[in-house]
């Protein structure tokens, strides 16, 4: 005899511990099954794009830190590339290498957070998350050495970075790279073969590659479905064309594939940093103030630059009217766009998988709402 | 292989169980008798004899010692370090601040150590309750008068107390951060143990030549 059930609507969030930020989900359940999902967001809207219109180009760096607060260095990088394109600034060699190192470290940190929270969502409360966070902490310590802050870095300036790496940074970096590999080994040791993780993540929330492409999903989510799309390789910015790295692909396009791609990408980032360190040369880290003054006035026009952020294609669009502040700034936030497939992911799934699938998007509300 | 994943996972947990903790106890750390004696600079026997009450407390696990966090000298912290003698009231810092939280009122009539005749400060207020410690003001200061601080404990009950005035800035302990001030880094200055009270000792920020940079690079690697 089948038990008769009635659909129930449940509100999850905005202050729910698993919602990865201030996010609200209105879910309709029929028994264990999800019938309908309605995401409600905007709770963290701070109007960064509007605020940018009354700040000079250098001051806006501080705003970009606060968009995706799990990967501020990558935001800095994307924004600075857009400013450089808009104003025609030639960055200094050492500055570019330094910001690439910082960006790749940030990618590792961001992927560690994503992996740690995936396990948290699976119900492994605390412990595995702390293993991942412990390593991220060390990366943030490196950032503190570089720029004096851990999250609100503001390390980049038009044409490079504000200061060279301090004495002792390179040694600490070498040590940290070894540690990162060890931590990733450890993470994989207890995850990649773990039957519970397998049964919970394999085959859940499968998304077809065509659907992902049509919804313009990017980043690890897309690569987990076998589509080879990485802007570092497709459209190299900075010096990524001087670097050899493997493109990480998986074909299953389920929650496990997305986790796997992130861990392997973090490994590849270690590889990239090693190559950067091998190629970096002494020299100035930013152009002199005669070439690039503090107050930049780019010519009239617009520029769009996209980089491979930790969550997908992170783009900055700037319009200049010739003044000291942009006329308009727009951010293509990968978290927001990756979130658009939430209904396709969740509907038809089980309640227990809801937050696992949701977490596997790796979204950041600071970036979604801006 | 199926069935092996879980034991392997538990082995990792076990390995971490016996690992040294990475957690830092802040602001105080609980110590036993030996730790308390070491903190007091005595050997344990002497400590028991000289300070019996403290020893009993320590054995009961109630003794604490303060812990200093490990920070980088470039830390962009609270408590700006400011040298009034150097400031010409040019207000570059106020203009460069993204939040506009530095207020400067100046009058003519000061003889400056570096620039000769200049303006004198009447008001120099930083509203650090709104400050985000981005350091742009420090970067803008052409005379190296303003430096980031290295401390971060400045909580108050009233918001207004977070406005740092000129007098407070002058009276504050001078532990400048080496953020955007490479001269401190070159002298291996450690703000957590040393202070720079006189602005003559603080040095000026000059860009090292390319030759110097190359040499430093070779020495370091
Ligand atoms: S640190 Fe930044 S926010 Fe604070 S006073 Fe200086 S420029 Fe303004
Ligand atoms: S920029 Fe420096 S010299 Fe000018 S007013 Fe500010 S602290 Fe004084």
């Amino acid at each position: 005899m089948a038990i008769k059930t009635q659909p129930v609507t449940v509100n999850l969030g905005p202050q729910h511990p698993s919602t990865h930020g201030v996010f609200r989900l209105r879910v309709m359940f029929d028994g264990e099954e999800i019938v309908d999902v309605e995401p409600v967001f905007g709770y963290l809207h701070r109007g960064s794009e509007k605020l940018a219109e009354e700040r000079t180009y250098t001051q806006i760096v501080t705003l970009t830190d606060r968009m995706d607060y799990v990967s501020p260095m990558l935001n800095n990088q994307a924004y600075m590339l857009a400013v450089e394109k808009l104003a025609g600034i030639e960055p200094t060699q050492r500055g570019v290498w330094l910001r690439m190192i910082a960006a790749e470290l940030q990618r590792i940190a961001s992927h560690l957070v994503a992996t740690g929270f995936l396990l948290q969502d699976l119900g492994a409360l605390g412990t595995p998350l702390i293993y991942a966070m412990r390593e991220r902490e060390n990366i943030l310590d490196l950032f503190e050495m570089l720029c004096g802050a851990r999250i609100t870095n503001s390390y980049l300036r038009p044409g490079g970075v504000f200061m060279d790496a301090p004495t002792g940074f390179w040694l600490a970096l070498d040590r940290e790279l070894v540690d990162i590999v060890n931590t990733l080994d450890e993470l994989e040791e207890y995850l990649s073969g773990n039957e519970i993780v397998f049964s919970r993540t394999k085959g859940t929330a499968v998304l077809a590659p065509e659907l992902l492409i049509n919804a313009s999903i990017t980043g690890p989510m897309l690569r987990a479905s076998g589509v080879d799309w990485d802007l570092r390789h497709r459209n190299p910015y900075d010096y990524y064309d001087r670097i050899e790295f493997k493109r990480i692909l998986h074909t299953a396009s389920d929650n496990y594939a997305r986790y796997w791609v992130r861990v392997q990408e973090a490994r590849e980032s270690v590889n990239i940093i090693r190559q950067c360190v091998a190629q970096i040369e002494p020299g100035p880290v930013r152009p002199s103030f005669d070439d690039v003054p503090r107050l930049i006035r780019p010519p009239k026009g617009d520029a769009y630059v996209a980089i491979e952020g930790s969550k997908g294609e992170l783009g900055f669009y700037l319009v200049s009217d010739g003044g000291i502040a942009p006329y308009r700034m727009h951010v293509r936030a990968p978290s927001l766009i990756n979130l658009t497939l939430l209904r396709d992911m969740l509907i038809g799934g089980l309640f227990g998988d809801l937050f696992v699938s949701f977490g596997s998007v790796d979204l950041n509300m600071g970036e979604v709402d801006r | 292989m199926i069935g092996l994943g879980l034991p392997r996972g538990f082995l990792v947990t076990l390995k971490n169980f016996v690992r040294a903790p990475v957690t830092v106890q802040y602001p105080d750390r609980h110590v036993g008798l030996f730790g308390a004696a070491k903190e007091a600079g005595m050997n344990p026997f002497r400590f028991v004899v000289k300070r019996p009450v403290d020893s009993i407390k320590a054995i009961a696990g109630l003794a604490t010692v303060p812990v200093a966090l490990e920070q980088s000298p470039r830390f962009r912290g609270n408590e700006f370090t400011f040298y009034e003698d150097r400031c010409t009231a040019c207000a570059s810092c106020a203009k460069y601040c993204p939040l506009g939280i530095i207020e400067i009122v100046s009058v003519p009539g000061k003889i400056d150590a570096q620039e000769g005749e200049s303006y004198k400060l009447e008001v120099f207020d930083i509203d650090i309750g709104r400050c985000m410690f981005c350091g742009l003001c420090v970067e803008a200061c052409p005379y190296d008068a303003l430096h980031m601080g290295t401390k971060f404990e400045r909580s108050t009950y009233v918001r207004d107390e977070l406005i740092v005035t000129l007098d407070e800035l002058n009276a504050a302990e001078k532990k400048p951060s080496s953020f955007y001030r490479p001269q401190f880094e070159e002298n291996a200055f450690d703000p957590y143990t040393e202070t720079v009270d006189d602005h003559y000792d603080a040095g000026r920020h000059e860009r090292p030549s390319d030759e110097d940079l190359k040499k430093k690079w070779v020495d370091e690697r």
Side-chain angles (χ1 to χ4, degrees), chain B residues 80 96-99 101-102 126 131-137 148:
Chain B
F80 289 90
Y96 214 49
C97 173
L99 305 173
I101 56 174
I102 305 181
I126 306 182
C131 179
M132 56 187 173
F133 308 105
C134 59
L136 287 177
C137 51
M148 290 313 281

Side-chain angles (χ1 to χ4, degrees), chain A residues 29-188:
Chain A
F29 293 109
D30 189 0
E32 282 273 314
E33 205 185 305
I34 301 166
V35 187
D36 196 10
V37 178
E38 190 194 335
V40 186
F41 43 84
Y43 293 97
L44 211 56
H45 179 66
R46 290 149 297 171
S48 304
E49 292 178 3
K50 187 71 192 164
L51 285 173
E53 289 169 19
E54 49 187 53
R55 276 169 176 64
T56 68
Y57 285 93
T58 314
Q59 289 174 348
I60 294 172
V61 189
T62 57
L63 292 175
T64 64
D65 287 339
R66 287 155 179 82
M67 283 173 193
D68 179 356
Y69 41 74
V70 180
S71 51
M73 280 288 188
L74 287 158
N75 299 359
N76 284 186
Q77 190 190 22
Y79 170 70
M80 273 315 157
L81 281 162
V83 172
E84 280 163 16
K85 188 171 172 196
L86 186 69
I89 296 168
E90 187 59 39
T92 62
Q93 287 234 1
R94 193 174 171 83
V96 171
W97 286 119
L98 274 171
R99 77 182 175 198
M100 275 171 71
I101 293 172
E104 288 303 325
L105 279 173
Q106 187 72 77
R107 193 186 312 278
I108 298 171
S110 173
H111 284 346
L112 279 173
V113 173
T115 312
F117 275 100
L118 173 86
L119 297 161
Q120 172 101 341
D121 291 341
L122 278 172
L125 284 179
T127 315
L129 171 67
I130 296 300
Y131 294 168
M133 286 305 223
R134 185 178 57 198
E135 206 49 56
R136 172 175 181 261
E137 203 65 13
N138 294 339
I139 296 176
L140 296 190
D141 281 346
L142 283 183
F143 286 161
E144 192 185 306
M145 279 177 101
L146 267 182
C147 60
R150 296 152 59 82
I151 304 284
T152 51
N153 305 117
S154 302
Y155 184 41
L156 271 59
R157 295 286 182 271
V161 299
F162 66 66
M163 233 174 140
D164 205 345
T167 323
F169 173 78
W170 300 103
L171 262 178
L173 180 68
D174 283 349
R175 236 176 294 140
E176 178 55 22
L177 289 182
V178 177
D179 279 357
I180 291 171
V181 175
N182 287 342
T183 302
L184 291 173
D185 282 347
E186 200 179 278
L187 268 176
E188 284 210 273

Side-chain angles (χ1 to χ4, degrees), chain A residues 55 59 62 66 134 144 146-148 152-153 157 162-164 170 186 189-190 193-195 286 294, chain B residues 3-6 8-9 12 16 19 71-72 74 76 96 98 132 136 139 178-180 217 220-221:
Chain A
R55 276 169 176 64
Q59 289 174 348
T62 57
R66 287 155 179 82
R134 185 178 57 198
E144 192 185 306
L146 267 182
C147 60
T152 51
N153 305 117
R157 295 286 182 271
F162 66 66
M163 233 174 140
D164 205 345
W170 300 103
E186 200 179 278
E189 178 78 10
Y190 71 86
N194 192 316
E195 290 83 5
R286 73 189 281 185
R294 287 215 170 89
Chain B
L4 265 185
L6 282 183
R8 265 168 63 200
V12 173
N16 276 288
R19 200 166 149 160
Q71 283 165 257
S72 125
R74 221 176 252 193
R76 301 202 299 253
Y96 214 49
M132 56 187 173
L136 287 177
E139 197 177 318
S178 61
F179 165 79
Y180 214 74
W217 174 254
E220 253 174 56
R221 291 299 290 181

Side-chain angles (χ1 to χ4, degrees), chain B residues 25-216:
Chain B
Q25 311 249 339
Y26 180 81
D28 291 322
R29 182 166 51 93
H30 281 273
V31 287
L33 181 62
F34 290 100
K38 201 172 159 208
E39 175 69 13
M42 307 181 199
N43 76 42
F45 296 111
R46 221 174 112 87
F47 187 69
V48 174
V49 175
K50 288 265 164 174
R51 289 157 60 176
V53 181
D54 287 342
S55 329
I56 293 168
K57 264 196 196 163
I59 292 166
L62 294 174
T64 52
V65 295
V67 177
L69 285 188
E70 222 176 275
Q71 283 165 257
S72 125
R74 221 176 252 193
F75 184 74
R76 301 202 299 253
N78 221 311
E79 313 275 350
F80 289 90
T81 301
F82 181 64
Y83 298 108
E84 198 188 347
D85 290 343
R86 279 187 175 183
C87 179
T88 60
C90 68
S92 295
C93 49
K95 270 181 252 162
Y96 214 49
C97 173
L99 305 173
I101 56 174
I102 305 181
E103 186 187 343
I104 295 180
V105 176
S106 60
V107 288
K110 174 190 168 192
I111 304 298
D112 187 77
Q114 296 168 71
E115 298 294 311
E117 207 169 301
S118 81
Y119 284 86
K120 188 174 155 29
L121 284 174
E122 289 222 314
V123 178
F124 190 95
D125 288 355
I126 306 182
D127 181 1
I128 62 167
R130 288 172 58 205
C131 179
M132 56 187 173
F133 308 105
C134 59
L136 287 177
C137 51
V138 173
E139 197 177 318
C141 180
Y143 302 105
D144 287 14
L146 191 64
H147 306 257
M148 290 313 281
T150 40
K151 292 195 218 149
F152 53 88
E153 297 158 315
R154 202 196 163 98
S155 46
T156 59
Y157 286 108
V158 191
R159 257 197 112 113
D160 286 355
E161 284 173 20
L162 287 172
I163 299 177
V164 190
T165 59
L166 185 54
D167 294 337
E168 276 176 56
L169 277 171
N170 282 335
E173 208 179 1
K174 294 196 170 16
K175 291 185 174 295
S177 150
S178 61
F179 165 79
Y180 214 74
R181 300 283 181 257
Q183 70 267 30
F184 289 124
E185 245 155 53
E186 264 146 44
N187 304 337
F189 169 74
D190 179 6
Y192 304 104
T193 53
E194 304 162 57
T195 49
V196 186
D197 290 327
D198 195 337
H199 74 88
Y200 286 109
D201 299 335
R204 282 302 301 270
H205 162 205
E206 272 162 47
R207 243 191 78 214
S209 68
D210 284 354
E211 302 296 289
D212 290 347
L213 280 173
K214 257 200 192 102
K215 190 166 164 297
K216 187 165 157 247

